[in-house]
Amino acid sequence: MPRSVWYPGHMAKGSRKLKELASKLDLIIEVRDARAPASTSAPMMAALAELKPVIRVLSHMDLADTKKLNPWLKENNYTYAADLRKKTGLNQIKKAIMKFKPPHREIRIAVIGIPNVGKSMLLNSLINKSSAIVGGVAGVTRSVSWYKNEGMLVVDSPGILDPHAEKGAHLILSWLGCVKTEVIGGYENAAVALIDFLNYKNMHEILPVEYISDEPAELTLERIGKKYGCLISGGRVDFELAGRKFIEAFSSGRLGLICLEQPGEEMIINFHEAAVVCE
């Protein structure tokens, strides 16, 4: 999907840390959200995949449409779905990890991912919160901490990835709760874009059929606001509150199981006047 240009200072710092760390790793685990596996990919993953083997973990499988998720699992032999809160799929992931273990020492792993996809939850599951920090690995910056557990050395978040993205990508992430909606124009704008998207995709199972029509998305949001009781003086709808409640219901799974994209699919996201294509 499109990513914005990084500030040169951030890019240089990130590249230095990436090269320094990757040379000492055996395996990289990337965590994505099963509801939007392409849109929640971590920046610089293409570069990382050229350096080391990658296992992909699709978190939040409990919120994803299983049938639509299957193509993603078949796309790569080392892609696994997981519900990290319930530790569903964790044993399968651990078995896959150990296939890359060198015979003479622990396997060295980095777990990466954009905010709120479950990276920290997976990291804690692998190392156990009671695991002690071990000494540094030669040639790696001292600011990076390693945890030893069950034949693994797992690096704590090295801070080398930055989830900058284009406006359309930020919208998708806001719908899933991965970024703060306030920073991309507020809940009303995000909800209107989401309604447009659901209509475009004919996702009647998420957006009830009575809300699907050719009318402007703002009118749909107004009716949703009335249903949710988001009213202010004079019986008018508080659109920002209505948008927040709608997106929270969507991201929490209360509106149903979802999968927003399929492998190789282009996603057209309308943000008022602008149309953004996410590849």
Side-chain angles (χ1 to χ4, degrees):
M1 67 191 302
R3 298 282 177 185
S4 63
V5 177
W6 286 24
Y7 294 107
H10 291 168
M11 174 61 85
K13 183 178 179 180
S15 296
R16 286 195 302 269
K17 286 192 175 183
L18 172 62
K19 292 178 181 178
E20 177 183 307
L21 179 61
S23 65
K24 304 299 179 180
L25 295 172
D26 301 303
L27 178 67
I28 295 166
I29 302 178
E30 184 198 13
V31 185
R32 301 187 185 186
D33 194 309
R35 297 168 294 177
S39 297
T40 54
S41 64
M44 298 177 70
M45 267 314 300
L48 283 168
E50 292 180 357
L51 298 173
K52 296 294 175 178
V54 176
I55 286 178
R56 184 186 300 167
V57 175
L58 305 182
S59 65
H60 301 305
M61 65 174 289
D62 54 313
L63 301 176
D65 184 328
T66 305
K67 292 181 180 179
K68 293 181 180 179
L69 183 60
N70 284 334
W72 290 102
L73 301 177
K74 296 177 180 178
E75 186 186 37
N76 186 297
N77 290 333
Y78 289 102
T79 298
Y80 303 92
D83 178 354
L84 297 174
R85 293 185 184 278
K86 296 182 178 179
K87 301 189 183 300
T88 304
L90 188 61
N91 288 337
Q92 188 181 20
I93 294 168
K94 287 183 176 180
K95 288 180 180 178
I97 289 172
M98 299 312 290
K99 292 180 181 180
F100 296 91
K101 181 184 179 299
H104 59 288
R105 60 166 170 78
E106 298 92 349
I107 182 171
R108 297 172 181 170
I109 307 165
V111 181
I112 67 171
I114 67 171
N116 298 322
V117 292
K119 177 179 70 71
S120 296
M121 197 172 297
L122 177 60
L123 180 68
N124 289 335
S125 295
L126 293 177
I127 65 175
N128 291 331
K129 290 186 177 180
S130 59
S131 296
I133 299 178
V134 299
V137 173
V140 178
T141 177
R142 294 180 182 180
S143 64
V144 173
S145 299
W146 295 84
Y147 294 83
K148 184 176 181 179
N149 185 49
E150 298 180 355
M152 305 179 196
L153 274 176
V154 185
V155 64
D156 196 3
S157 179
I160 59 175
L161 298 177
D162 193 351
H164 290 304
E166 298 290 354
K167 189 176 291 184
H170 275 303
L171 273 171
I172 298 169
L173 298 182
S174 75
W175 300 340
L176 303 176
C178 295
V179 300
K180 292 184 178 180
T181 306
E182 294 89 337
V183 303
I184 61 167
Y187 284 99
E188 179 182 351
N189 288 334
V192 166
L194 176 56
I195 291 168
D196 277 336
F197 176 80
L198 295 175
N199 274 320
Y200 173 76
K201 298 281 285 189
N202 291 316
M203 297 182 70
H204 294 199
E205 69 278 16
I206 302 300
L207 190 64
V209 66
E210 63 265 26
Y211 293 137
I212 298 177
S213 69
D214 294 329
E215 70 182 13
E218 289 83 358
L219 293 181
T220 302
L221 181 59
E222 182 177 21
R223 287 194 280 129
I224 291 173
K226 290 178 179 178
K227 178 182 177 180
Y228 287 169
C230 304
L231 303 177
I232 54 179
S233 61
R236 293 174 295 136
V237 169
D238 182 334
F239 283 90
E240 190 69 10
L241 178 59
R244 180 172 66 83
K245 288 194 173 185
F246 179 59
I247 288 178
E248 287 176 351
F250 178 81
S251 63
S252 66
R254 294 199 302 272
L255 298 182
L257 304 180
I258 60 174
C259 192
L260 297 179
E261 54 197 6
Q262 292 294 284
E265 179 185 34
E266 289 187 340
M267 294 181 66
I268 309 297
I269 309 298
N270 291 318
F271 190 86
H272 288 288
E273 304 299 330
V276 181
V277 179
C278 300
E279 299 175 348

